Amino acid sequence: SRTDGREPMLLNYLTAPHVLIWSACRASSAVPGIFASCQLWARDARGRAGPLEELKFTDGCVDSDLPKARLTELFNVNFFVVSQGNPV
């Protein structure tokens, strides 16, 4: 989720193919109140790594755990099979 209050973004290999995996993992671990939000990093056309945007991202567990509407819009699906690995 973005920390600027706008609609959450769905980032995957199709919508954000140049995002560095370590930065996506870090953002996905940025649970509000536990870990600080962070910027996503990506490679540009020359292969240089840098911040994707000036926005900071957090895990979507609070406001958009499963973005069904966005998944339906992007991939034309109506049914979901979800596996989540949350700590006990």
Side-chain angles (χ1 to χ4, degrees):
S1 293
R2 297 175 176 191
T3 58
D4 64 356
R6 295 191 301 187
E7 181 178 329
M9 295 174 62
L10 177 65
L11 303 175
N12 61 28
Y13 73 99
L14 296 173
T15 62
H18 304 295
V19 170
L20 299 178
I21 292 174
W22 66 263
S23 72
C25 291
R26 185 172 175 222
S28 183
S29 299
V31 178
I34 299 174
F35 297 110
S37 58
C38 61
Q39 288 182 303
L40 290 175
W41 282 59
R43 295 207 181 272
D44 63 14
R46 292 185 172 183
R48 295 177 299 197
L52 180 62
E53 294 184 35
E54 293 300 318
L55 298 173
K56 292 195 174 194
F57 291 81
T58 61
D59 182 59
C61 67
V62 174
D63 60 352
S64 184
D65 198 26
L66 181 61
K68 292 183 216 173
R70 189 73 173 129
L71 287 168
T72 299
E73 178 184 327
L74 287 175
F75 300 108
N76 194 28
V77 296
N78 295 313
F79 300 98
F80 305 91
V81 176
V82 179
S83 175
Q84 292 182 300
N86 294 328
V88 177

